[in-house]
Amino acid sequence: MKPVFDAIEHSAHRISEAITNEDLCYGDSCNATGDMQLKLDIQSDLIIAEEFSKITAVKAIASEEKEEAETLHPEGRFMIAYDPLDGSSLIDVDLSVGTIYGIYDGEFQAKNMLAAVYVVHGPRLEMVTAYKGGVRHYIFRHGRFMEQETIRLGEKGKLNAPGGTQMHWYPHHKKLIEGLFAEGYRLRYSGGMVPDLHQILLKGGGLFSYPGTTDKPNGKLRKLFEVFPFAYIYETAGGAAVDDKGRRLMELPCDDPHETTPCFLGSKYEVEKMREAYGIG
């Protein structure tokens, strides 16, 4: 696994350099789900693919920016799915963005996940890994990633990060969000999945929600590239991660690389509040 983590570190440095120095304009194409691609999205995707192509243990990669998975080394073991630059539309206003990785054994299914990693490109370059039962936090200082604290979520947090357009929320979801605010939860929502979930992790707990809505009943976030990796990280950190039916996200199948799902990730208390609001036993 070390060569995979090394490749992620190398990619982080190169993407950070590109964010600082390269063009922020849109390219001439859309990704697999129809979103216009920034040139940085495309460049970040190419950087990561190049780094993984050097590792014979990586069998195949799948990217949010590509329609289908790409085989690199047929005899390899690891299957890696990634979002090369999550929240890239926030770069032009200088907000944090990130890269998300899920590392799978054999095939792209949540049950086969071996590790998950995300990188935060913000005022500092940071990385969080979930592997072998621990969630570890790293900050890039003095030319290398230096390990900080091991991350554990509390049973109850203070932050509320609700995604989706409010006019399209279902009444039971609105009840959940208003109930948390009535308990004194603080609103923390940047529009970027990585910085919002990173803040909840480092601040000890809370709830990130991206529900099904009247315009997007199956949610917006992609299982393979965004939801499964963070579900793995949150569960490893002692939290919970479920869909709108109360099912563990890590037990959901994935029949298409770009399949989406509603998702709720946070401390156990907030996820239980979600179950109550949604009428789940």
Side-chain angles (χ1 to χ4, degrees):
M1 189 67 73
K2 186 178 184 302
V4 172
F5 287 155
D6 288 345
I8 290 172
E9 289 191 23
H10 296 158
S11 297
H13 299 151
R14 295 177 63 186
I15 292 170
S16 183
E17 185 74 15
I19 289 171
T20 302
N21 296 304
E22 299 298 332
D23 189 355
L24 298 179
C25 296
Y26 284 96
D28 299 324
S29 60
C30 293
N31 65 15
T33 50
D35 298 323
M36 285 298 297
Q37 291 174 299
L38 282 173
K39 291 182 179 178
L40 274 175
D41 289 312
I42 300 168
Q43 186 173 355
S44 299
D45 185 38
L46 292 172
I47 286 170
I48 294 168
E50 180 184 337
E51 292 294 341
F52 284 143
S53 70
K54 303 172 186 176
I55 305 171
T56 57
V58 176
K59 181 176 183 178
I61 56 174
S63 166
E64 183 183 295
E65 303 301 328
K66 293 186 173 70
E67 187 70 35
E68 297 179 350
E70 175 185 354
T71 299
L72 296 181
H73 304 284
E75 302 305 316
R77 174 187 177 187
F78 302 123
M79 309 277 281
I80 303 176
Y82 60 92
D83 183 346
L85 203 57
D86 183 77
S88 56
S89 62
L90 301 174
I91 291 175
D92 63 346
V93 292
D94 210 22
L95 294 179
S96 295
V97 296
T99 307
I100 311 167
Y101 301 88
I103 303 162
Y104 301 82
D105 189 1
E107 61 178 351
F108 290 121
Q109 294 294 336
K111 64 182 181 180
N112 296 327
M113 186 170 285
L114 296 173
V117 180
Y118 68 86
V119 175
V120 184
H121 298 277
R124 301 184 302 195
L125 181 60
E126 302 187 27
M127 180 173 67
V128 172
T129 67
Y131 181 53
K132 291 187 175 180
V135 178
R136 294 172 176 83
H137 178 209
Y138 301 83
I139 297 175
F140 189 72
R141 289 179 178 148
H142 307 296
R144 65 186 182 92
F145 277 103
M146 301 179 68
E147 186 169 355
Q148 309 298 303
E149 74 282 4
T150 297
I151 299 174
R152 292 292 298 176
L153 283 167
E155 286 292 316
K156 181 181 187 299
K158 299 178 180 179
L159 304 183
N160 188 11
T165 305
Q166 292 188 31
M167 67 178 290
H168 297 303
W169 284 353
Y170 291 111
H172 52 276
H173 185 72
K174 184 178 181 181
K175 176 183 175 183
L176 165 66
I177 300 305
E178 290 180 345
L180 291 174
F181 285 138
E183 290 187 34
Y185 280 72
R186 304 186 191 108
L187 174 65
R188 293 291 187 270
Y189 191 76
S190 70
M193 187 180 190
V194 171
D196 290 340
L197 282 164
H198 184 58
Q199 182 170 192
I200 289 171
L201 275 174
L202 294 192
K203 297 295 185 180
L207 182 70
F208 174 95
S209 56
Y210 210 109
T213 54
T214 56
D215 61 329
K216 294 183 181 295
N218 293 321
K220 179 183 177 182
L221 299 178
R222 299 157 185 84
K223 291 179 178 179
L224 202 60
F225 308 114
E226 298 161 317
V227 175
F228 288 164
F230 268 111
Y232 187 86
I233 290 166
Y234 265 62
E235 286 194 349
T236 304
V242 302
D243 70 356
D244 57 346
K245 304 294 191 299
R247 299 173 295 192
R248 286 182 63 229
L249 294 170
M250 295 304 297
E251 292 179 349
L252 298 182
C254 186
D255 300 318
D256 180 273
H258 297 277
E259 189 175 355
T260 62
T261 182
C263 60
F264 303 81
L265 303 98
S267 310
K268 291 180 178 178
Y269 174 85
E270 290 85 23
V271 173
E272 186 57 36
K273 295 294 286 187
M274 171 266 167
R275 293 176 183 274
E276 292 175 9
Y278 273 61
I280 300 167

